[in-house]
Amino acid sequence: MKKQNALIISSALFGLLAIPAHAATIANWKVLVGANSPAISGANTDSPVFGGVSPVNQMDAAQTAGRFGTVATPASVTLAVGETLTVSFNVTLTGGLDVLNHYRFGVFDDGGQFAASSESNWAGGWLHSTGNGLYQGNTGGSFASNSGTTPNNAALLSNTDLSAAGAIAGDSAATYLWTMAITRGSATSVDLSASFVGGDGAYSNSYAQNGQATSLFTYTAVGILTSGATDLDQLSISNAQYSVVPEPSSALLGGLGVLLLLRRRRA
């Protein structure tokens, strides 16, 4: 009986550790700001396409956003201590210039402004500026990354540059992968990491910031800005998704408690 219980516990533990994160879709997309009136197709899928080849430069100086969930079932995530929110999607750039610091991707709480199609007055979030670092979300034009001091400017965090290599190709046959992870480390802080990798230029860029003081733990959307220096014709997104997982140690401890109770009952 003891051997049988040990086998049950070992098998259950293996299963617990092998459970993958459940990914949910981001399938509600909008153009919020577009100096050149970019078109959008696939707005209600996880693979929208912004802009086009005619006229050119449609995605130059544009801001776009995607709401967690779908149009019919919008979703939000509020992190408990120890939980990690991961957001990711593939990016294809078409017709743009090879510039380093002019693409910004972030995870935000839209503060109810997504429905109003506004990029201003979002509740806040975290922004990854390629080649520049991680920023605190701007609350008045949320996807800019000016390191100013007023509440409506995004403040550059004292983040660690983990890697930077290659070049961003603004017209790339190969896709990029953007990922951001937000872990609630305590009642008053989060740990952040973000990366942008791939493309014809084999670009690799990632940053991390641990113990960032904040009261922002609810997230509802992603935001993208392509600056006026890109001359970008089209930006394509694919496989846009988010997932939430508990801290591994917390999940393990919880699982152990259940398994030990099972063992006592079977003994």
Side-chain angles (χ1 to χ4, degrees):
M1 179 63 73
K2 289 183 178 180
K3 289 182 178 180
Q4 183 180 7
N5 287 339
L7 180 60
I8 292 172
I9 291 171
S10 297
S11 299
L13 268 177
F14 178 80
L16 176 68
L17 295 175
I19 294 174
H22 173 70
T25 190
I26 303 172
N28 182 0
W29 296 86
K30 290 183 176 182
V31 175
L32 302 179
V33 173
N36 299 313
S37 301
I40 177 173
S41 61
N44 298 333
T45 74
D46 67 355
S47 301
V49 177
F50 300 99
V53 294
S54 181
V56 296
N57 302 344
Q58 281 192 29
M59 283 303 291
D60 201 38
Q63 295 186 28
T64 60
R67 185 73 160 78
F68 289 2
T70 65
V71 175
T73 57
S76 65
V77 170
T78 299
L79 293 174
V81 174
E83 288 186 330
T84 298
L85 166 66
T86 301
V87 178
S88 66
F89 46 73
N90 297 309
V91 180
T92 302
L93 305 175
T94 304
L97 301 175
D98 297 348
V99 292
L100 179 62
N101 300 326
H102 298 285
Y103 296 96
R104 291 101 190 233
F105 306 91
V107 178
F108 300 91
D109 177 2
D110 73 289
Q113 296 303 302
F114 186 88
S117 297
S118 172
E119 85 287 2
S120 297
N121 300 315
W122 286 38
W126 312 104
L127 184 71
H128 175 199
S129 177
T130 57
N132 272 348
L134 293 172
Y135 285 75
Q136 185 172 344
N138 193 323
T139 58
S142 298
F143 316 142
S145 58
N146 301 317
S147 54
T149 57
T150 67
N152 287 335
N153 286 331
L156 177 65
L157 308 182
S158 57
N159 52 89
T160 301
D161 187 348
L162 299 178
S163 69
I168 292 180
D171 188 38
S172 180
T175 61
Y176 297 87
L177 173 64
W178 178 74
T179 305
M180 177 176 282
I182 305 168
T183 300
R184 184 171 180 176
S186 72
T188 58
S189 69
V190 294
D191 298 334
L192 306 166
S193 64
S195 66
F196 188 67
V197 298
D200 292 345
Y203 183 68
S204 176
N205 168 242
S206 57
Y207 294 94
Q209 169 69 19
N210 292 329
Q212 176 63 38
T214 186
S215 59
L216 182 69
F217 303 111
T218 295
Y219 304 95
T220 62
V222 296
I224 303 170
L225 180 146
T226 54
S227 84
T230 62
D231 283 357
L232 191 66
D233 293 342
Q234 187 177 83
L235 184 145
S236 303
I237 301 294
S238 62
N239 196 30
Q241 59 183 25
Y242 67 97
S243 61
V244 180
V245 296
E247 186 180 45
S249 59
S250 298
L252 182 58
L253 287 173
L256 280 174
V258 172
L259 292 171
L260 286 174
L261 179 60
L262 174 64
R263 182 177 182 180
R264 286 179 181 176
R265 288 180 177 178
R266 288 180 175 269

Coordinates of all heavy atoms in Angstrom, one line a residue, residues 10-83:
S10 N 4.1 10.4 -6.7 CA 5.1 10.7 -7.7 C 4.5 11.0 -9.0 O 4.9 12.0 -9.7 CB 6.1 9.5 -7.9 OG 6.8 9.3 -6.6
S11 N 3.5 10.2 -9.4 CA 2.8 10.5 -10.7 C 2.1 11.8 -10.7 O 2.1 12.5 -11.7 CB 1.9 9.3 -11.0 OG 2.6 8.1 -11.1
A12 N 1.4 12.1 -9.6 CA 0.6 13.3 -9.5 C 1.6 14.5 -9.5 O 1.2 15.5 -10.1 CB -0.2 13.3 -8.2
L13 N 2.7 14.4 -8.8 CA 3.7 15.5 -8.8 C 4.2 15.8 -10.2 O 4.3 16.9 -10.7 CB 4.8 15.2 -7.9 CG 4.7 15.6 -6.4 CD1 5.9 15.2 -5.7 CD2 4.6 17.1 -6.4
F14 N 4.5 14.7 -11.0 CA 5.0 14.8 -12.3 C 3.9 15.5 -13.2 O 4.2 16.4 -13.9 CB 5.3 13.5 -12.9 CG 5.8 13.6 -14.3 CD1 7.1 13.9 -14.6 CD2 4.9 13.3 -15.4 CE1 7.6 14.0 -15.9 CE2 5.4 13.4 -16.7 CZ 6.7 13.7 -17.0
G15 N 2.7 15.1 -13.0 CA 1.6 15.8 -13.8 C 1.4 17.2 -13.4 O 1.2 18.1 -14.3
L16 N 1.6 17.5 -12.1 CA 1.5 18.9 -11.7 C 2.5 19.8 -12.3 O 2.2 20.9 -12.8 CB 1.6 19.0 -10.1 CG 1.5 20.3 -9.5 CD1 0.2 21.0 -9.6 CD2 1.9 20.2 -8.0
L17 N 3.7 19.3 -12.3 CA 4.8 20.1 -12.8 C 4.8 20.2 -14.4 O 5.3 21.1 -14.9 CB 6.2 19.5 -12.4 CG 6.5 19.5 -10.9 CD1 7.7 18.7 -10.6 CD2 6.6 20.9 -10.4
A18 N 4.1 19.2 -15.0 CA 4.1 19.2 -16.5 C 2.9 20.0 -17.0 O 2.8 20.2 -18.2 CB 4.0 17.8 -17.0
I19 N 2.0 20.5 -16.2 CA 0.8 21.2 -16.7 C 1.3 22.5 -17.4 O 2.0 23.4 -16.7 CB -0.1 21.6 -15.6 CG1 -0.7 20.3 -15.0 CG2 -1.3 22.5 -16.1 CD1 -1.6 20.5 -13.8
P20 N 1.0 22.7 -18.6 CA 1.4 24.0 -19.3 C 0.5 25.1 -19.0 O -0.6 25.0 -18.5 CB 1.2 23.6 -20.8 CG 0.1 22.6 -20.8 CD 0.2 21.8 -19.5
A21 N 1.0 26.4 -19.2 CA 0.1 27.5 -19.0 C -1.0 27.6 -20.1 O -0.8 27.2 -21.2 CB 1.0 28.8 -19.1
H22 N -2.1 28.0 -19.7 CA -3.3 28.1 -20.6 C -3.2 29.4 -21.3 O -3.3 30.5 -20.6 CB -4.6 27.9 -19.9 CG -5.8 28.1 -20.7 ND1 -6.1 27.3 -21.7 CD2 -6.7 29.2 -20.8 CE1 -7.2 27.7 -22.3 NE2 -7.6 28.9 -21.8
A23 N -3.1 29.4 -22.6 CA -3.0 30.7 -23.3 C -4.4 31.1 -23.8 O -5.2 30.3 -24.3 CB -2.1 30.5 -24.5
A24 N -4.7 32.4 -23.7 CA -6.0 33.0 -24.2 C -5.6 34.0 -25.3 O -4.5 34.5 -25.4 CB -6.7 33.7 -23.0
T25 N -6.6 34.2 -26.1 CA -6.4 35.1 -27.3 C -6.5 36.5 -27.0 O -7.2 37.0 -26.1 CB -7.3 34.6 -28.4 OG1 -7.0 35.2 -29.6 CG2 -8.8 35.0 -28.1
I26 N -5.9 37.3 -27.9 CA -6.1 38.8 -27.9 C -6.6 39.0 -29.3 O -5.9 38.9 -30.3 CB -4.8 39.6 -27.7 CG1 -4.1 39.2 -26.4 CG2 -5.0 41.1 -27.8 CD1 -2.7 39.8 -26.2
A27 N -7.9 39.3 -29.4 CA -8.6 39.3 -30.7 C -9.6 40.4 -30.8 O -10.7 40.3 -31.3 CB -9.3 38.0 -31.0
N28 N -9.2 41.6 -30.3 CA -10.0 42.8 -30.5 C -9.1 44.0 -30.7 O -8.5 44.5 -29.7 CB -10.9 43.0 -29.2 CG -11.8 44.2 -29.3 OD1 -11.8 44.9 -30.3 ND2 -12.6 44.4 -28.2
W29 N -8.8 44.4 -31.9 CA -7.8 45.3 -32.3 C -8.4 46.6 -32.9 O -9.4 46.6 -33.6 CB -6.8 44.7 -33.3 CG -6.1 43.5 -32.7 CD1 -6.5 42.2 -32.7 CD2 -4.8 43.6 -32.1 NE1 -5.5 41.4 -32.0 CE2 -4.5 42.2 -31.7 CE3 -3.9 44.6 -31.8 CZ2 -3.3 41.9 -31.0 CZ3 -2.7 44.2 -31.1 CH2 -2.4 42.9 -30.8
K30 N -7.6 47.7 -32.6 CA -8.0 49.0 -33.2 C -6.8 49.8 -33.6 O -5.7 49.6 -33.0 CB -8.8 49.8 -32.1 CG -10.2 49.3 -31.8 CD -10.9 50.2 -30.8 CE -12.3 49.8 -30.5 NZ -13.0 50.7 -29.6
V31 N -7.0 50.7 -34.5 CA -6.1 51.8 -34.8 C -6.5 53.0 -33.9 O -7.7 53.5 -34.1 CB -6.0 52.2 -36.2 CG1 -5.1 53.4 -36.5 CG2 -5.5 51.0 -37.1
L32 N -5.7 53.5 -33.0 CA -6.1 54.6 -32.2 C -5.6 55.9 -32.7 O -6.3 56.9 -32.7 CB -5.5 54.4 -30.8 CG -6.0 53.1 -30.1 CD1 -5.4 53.0 -28.7 CD2 -7.5 53.1 -30.0
V33 N -4.4 55.9 -33.3 CA -3.8 57.1 -33.9 C -3.1 56.7 -35.2 O -2.3 55.8 -35.2 CB -2.8 57.8 -33.0 CG1 -2.1 59.0 -33.7 CG2 -3.5 58.3 -31.7
G34 N -3.4 57.4 -36.3 CA -2.8 57.1 -37.5 C -2.7 58.3 -38.4 O -3.7 58.7 -39.0
A35 N -1.5 58.9 -38.5 CA -1.3 60.1 -39.3 C -1.7 59.9 -40.7 O -2.1 60.8 -41.4 CB 0.1 60.6 -39.1
N36 N -1.4 58.7 -41.2 CA -1.7 58.3 -42.6 C -2.9 57.4 -42.8 O -2.9 56.7 -43.8 CB -0.4 57.7 -43.2 CG 0.8 58.7 -43.2 OD1 0.6 59.9 -43.5 ND2 1.9 58.2 -42.7
S37 N -3.8 57.4 -41.8 CA -5.0 56.6 -41.9 C -4.8 55.2 -42.3 O -5.3 54.7 -43.3 CB -6.0 57.3 -42.9 OG -6.3 58.6 -42.5
P38 N -4.1 54.4 -41.5 CA -3.8 53.0 -41.8 C -5.1 52.2 -41.8 O -5.9 52.3 -41.0 CB -2.8 52.6 -40.7 CG -3.1 53.5 -39.6 CD -3.5 54.8 -40.2
A39 N -5.1 51.3 -42.8 CA -6.2 50.3 -42.8 C -5.9 49.2 -41.8 O -4.8 49.1 -41.3 CB -6.3 49.7 -44.3
I40 N -7.0 48.4 -41.5 CA -6.8 47.3 -40.6 C -7.7 46.1 -41.1 O -8.8 46.3 -41.5 CB -7.2 47.6 -39.2 CG1 -7.0 46.4 -38.3 CG2 -8.5 48.2 -39.1 CD1 -7.2 46.6 -36.8
S41 N -7.1 44.9 -41.2 CA -7.8 43.7 -41.5 C -7.6 42.7 -40.4 O -6.6 42.7 -39.8 CB -7.4 43.2 -42.9 OG -6.0 42.8 -42.9
G42 N -8.5 41.8 -40.3 CA -8.4 40.8 -39.2 C -8.5 41.4 -37.8 O -7.9 40.9 -36.9
A43 N -9.3 42.5 -37.7 CA -9.3 43.2 -36.4 C -9.9 42.4 -35.3 O -9.6 42.6 -34.1 CB -10.2 44.5 -36.5
N44 N -10.7 41.4 -35.6 CA -11.3 40.5 -34.6 C -10.7 39.1 -34.5 O -11.4 38.2 -34.3 CB -12.9 40.5 -34.8 CG -13.5 41.8 -34.7 OD1 -13.0 42.7 -34.0 ND2 -14.6 42.0 -35.4
T45 N -9.4 39.1 -34.8 CA -8.7 37.8 -34.8 C -7.4 38.1 -34.0 O -7.1 39.2 -33.6 CB -8.3 37.3 -36.2 OG1 -7.3 38.1 -36.7 CG2 -9.5 37.4 -37.1
D46 N -6.7 37.0 -33.8 CA -5.4 37.1 -33.1 C -4.3 37.5 -34.1 O -3.1 37.5 -33.7 CB -5.0 35.9 -32.3 CG -4.8 34.7 -33.2 OD1 -4.9 34.8 -34.4 OD2 -4.4 33.6 -32.6
S47 N -4.6 37.8 -35.3 CA -3.6 38.0 -36.3 C -4.0 39.2 -37.2 O -4.3 39.1 -38.4 CB -3.4 36.8 -37.2 OG -3.0 35.7 -36.4
P48 N -4.1 40.4 -36.6 CA -4.5 41.6 -37.4 C -3.3 42.1 -38.3 O -2.2 41.9 -38.0 CB -4.8 42.6 -36.4 CG -3.9 42.3 -35.2 CD -3.8 40.8 -35.2
V49 N -3.7 42.8 -39.4 CA -2.7 43.4 -40.3 C -3.1 44.9 -40.3 O -4.2 45.3 -40.7 CB -2.8 42.8 -41.7 CG1 -1.8 43.6 -42.6 CG2 -2.4 41.4 -41.6
F50 N -2.1 45.8 -40.0 CA -2.3 47.2 -40.0 C -1.5 47.8 -41.2 O -0.4 47.5 -41.4 CB -1.8 47.8 -38.7 CG -2.4 47.3 -37.4 CD1 -1.8 46.3 -36.7 CD2 -3.6 47.8 -37.0 CE1 -2.4 45.8 -35.5 CE2 -4.3 47.3 -35.9 CZ -3.6 46.3 -35.1
G51 N -2.2 48.7 -41.9 CA -1.5 49.4 -43.0 C -1.6 48.6 -44.2 O -2.2 47.5 -44.3
G52 N -0.8 49.0 -45.3 CA -0.7 48.3 -46.5 C 0.3 49.0 -47.4 O 1.0 49.9 -47.0
V53 N 0.5 48.5 -48.6 CA 1.5 49.0 -49.5 C 1.1 50.2 -50.3 O 1.9 50.8 -50.9 CB 2.0 47.8 -50.4 CG1 2.6 46.7 -49.7 CG2 0.8 47.3 -51.3
S54 N -0.2 50.5 -50.3 CA -0.7 51.7 -51.0 C -1.8 52.4 -50.2 O -2.8 51.7 -49.9 CB -1.2 51.3 -52.4 OG -1.6 52.4 -53.1
P55 N -1.6 53.6 -49.9 CA -0.4 54.4 -50.1 C 0.7 54.0 -49.1 O 0.4 53.3 -48.1 CB -0.9 55.8 -49.7 CG -2.0 55.6 -48.7 CD -2.7 54.4 -49.2
V56 N 1.9 54.4 -49.4 CA 3.0 54.0 -48.6 C 3.0 54.7 -47.2 O 2.3 55.7 -47.0 CB 4.4 54.3 -49.3 CG1 4.5 53.5 -50.6 CG2 4.5 55.8 -49.6
N57 N 3.8 54.2 -46.3 CA 4.0 54.8 -45.0 C 2.8 54.9 -44.1 O 2.6 55.8 -43.3 CB 4.6 56.2 -45.1 CG 5.9 56.2 -45.8 OD1 6.6 55.2 -46.0 ND2 6.4 57.4 -46.3
Q58 N 1.8 54.0 -44.3 CA 0.6 54.0 -43.6 C 0.8 53.8 -42.1 O 0.1 54.4 -41.2 CB -0.4 53.0 -44.1 CG -1.1 53.3 -45.3 CD -2.3 52.4 -45.6 OE1 -2.9 51.8 -44.7 NE2 -2.6 52.2 -46.9
M59 N 1.9 53.1 -41.7 CA 2.1 52.8 -40.3 C 3.2 53.7 -39.7 O 3.7 53.4 -38.6 CB 2.4 51.3 -40.1 CG 1.2 50.4 -40.2 SD 0.0 50.8 -38.9 CE 0.8 50.4 -37.4
D60 N 3.5 54.7 -40.4 CA 4.5 55.7 -39.8 C 3.7 56.6 -38.8 O 2.6 57.1 -39.2 CB 5.0 56.6 -41.0 CG 6.3 57.3 -40.6 OD1 7.1 56.6 -39.9 OD2 6.5 58.4 -41.0
A61 N 4.2 56.7 -37.6 CA 3.5 57.5 -36.6 C 2.1 57.0 -36.3 O 1.2 57.8 -36.3 CB 3.5 59.0 -37.0
A62 N 2.0 55.7 -36.0 CA 0.7 55.1 -35.7 C 0.7 54.5 -34.4 O 1.7 54.0 -33.9 CB 0.4 54.1 -36.8
Q63 N -0.5 54.5 -33.7 CA -0.7 53.8 -32.4 C -1.8 52.8 -32.6 O -2.9 53.2 -33.1 CB -1.0 54.8 -31.3 CG 0.2 55.7 -31.0 CD 0.0 56.6 -29.8 OE1 -0.8 56.2 -28.9 NE2 0.6 57.7 -29.8
T64 N -1.6 51.6 -32.2 CA -2.6 50.5 -32.3 C -2.7 49.8 -31.0 O -1.8 49.9 -30.1 CB -2.3 49.5 -33.4 OG1 -1.1 48.9 -33.1 CG2 -2.2 50.2 -34.8
A65 N -3.8 49.1 -30.8 CA -4.0 48.4 -29.5 C -4.9 47.2 -29.7 O -5.7 47.1 -30.6 CB -4.7 49.4 -28.4
G66 N -4.7 46.2 -28.8 CA -5.5 45.0 -28.8 C -6.0 44.7 -27.4 O -5.2 44.8 -26.4
R67 N -7.3 44.4 -27.3 CA -7.9 44.2 -26.0 C -7.9 42.7 -25.7 O -8.1 41.9 -26.6 CB -9.4 44.6 -26.0 CG -10.2 44.5 -24.7 CD -9.7 45.6 -23.7 NE -10.7 45.8 -22.6 CZ -10.9 45.0 -21.6 NH1 -10.2 43.9 -21.5 NH2 -11.8 45.3 -20.7
F68 N -7.5 42.3 -24.4 CA -7.6 40.9 -24.0 C -8.9 40.3 -24.3 O -10.0 40.9 -24.1 CB -7.3 40.7 -22.6 CG -5.8 41.0 -22.2 CD1 -4.9 41.4 -23.1 CD2 -5.4 40.9 -20.8 CE1 -3.6 41.7 -22.7 CE2 -4.1 41.2 -20.4 CZ -3.2 41.6 -21.4
G69 N -8.9 39.0 -24.8 CA -10.2 38.4 -25.1 C -10.7 38.7 -26.5 O -9.8 38.9 -27.4
T70 N -12.0 38.7 -26.7 CA -12.5 39.0 -28.0 C -13.5 40.2 -27.9 O -13.7 40.7 -26.8 CB -13.3 37.8 -28.5 OG1 -14.4 37.5 -27.6 CG2 -12.4 36.5 -28.5
V71 N -14.1 40.6 -29.0 CA -15.0 41.7 -29.0 C -16.2 41.3 -28.1 O -16.7 42.1 -27.3 CB -15.5 42.0 -30.4 CG1 -16.6 43.1 -30.4 CG2 -14.3 42.5 -31.3
A72 N -16.7 40.1 -28.3 CA -17.9 39.6 -27.5 C -17.6 39.3 -26.1 O -18.4 39.5 -25.2 CB -18.4 38.3 -28.2
T73 N -16.3 38.9 -25.8 CA -16.0 38.5 -24.4 C -14.7 39.2 -24.0 O -13.6 38.5 -23.9 CB -15.9 37.0 -24.2 OG1 -15.0 36.5 -25.2 CG2 -17.3 36.4 -24.4
P74 N -14.6 40.5 -23.8 CA -13.4 41.1 -23.3 C -13.0 40.6 -21.9 O -13.8 40.1 -21.1 CB -13.8 42.6 -23.2 CG -15.2 42.6 -23.1 CD -15.7 41.4 -23.8
A75 N -11.7 40.6 -21.7 CA -11.2 40.0 -20.5 C -10.2 40.9 -19.8 O -9.7 41.9 -20.4 CB -10.5 38.6 -20.8
S76 N -9.9 40.7 -18.6 CA -8.8 41.4 -17.8 C -8.1 40.4 -16.9 O -8.6 39.4 -16.6 CB -9.4 42.6 -17.1 OG -10.2 42.1 -16.0
V77 N -6.9 40.8 -16.5 CA -6.1 40.0 -15.6 C -5.7 40.8 -14.4 O -5.2 41.9 -14.6 CB -4.8 39.5 -16.3 CG1 -3.9 38.8 -15.3 CG2 -5.2 38.5 -17.4
T78 N -6.0 40.4 -13.2 CA -5.6 41.0 -12.0 C -4.6 40.0 -11.3 O -5.1 38.9 -10.9 CB -6.7 41.4 -11.0 OG1 -7.6 42.3 -11.7 CG2 -6.2 42.0 -9.8
L79 N -3.4 40.3 -11.1 CA -2.4 39.4 -10.6 C -2.4 39.3 -9.1 O -2.5 40.4 -8.4 CB -1.0 39.9 -11.1 CG -0.7 39.8 -12.6 CD1 0.7 40.4 -12.8 CD2 -0.7 38.4 -13.0
A80 N -2.4 38.1 -8.6 CA -2.2 37.9 -7.2 C -0.7 37.8 -7.0 O 0.1 37.6 -7.9 CB -2.9 36.6 -6.8
V81 N -0.2 37.9 -5.7 CA 1.2 37.8 -5.4 C 1.7 36.4 -5.9 O 1.1 35.4 -5.6 CB 1.5 37.9 -3.9 CG1 2.9 37.7 -3.6 CG2 1.1 39.4 -3.5
G82 N 2.8 36.4 -6.7 CA 3.3 35.1 -7.2 C 2.9 34.8 -8.6 O 3.4 33.9 -9.2
E83 N 1.9 35.4 -9.1 CA 1.4 35.1 -10.4 C 2.1 35.9 -11.5 O 2.5 37.1 -11.3 CB -0.1 35.4 -10.6 CG -1.0 34.4 -9.8 CD -2.5 34.6 -10.1 OE1 -2.9 35.8 -10.3 OE2 -3.2 33.6 -10.0

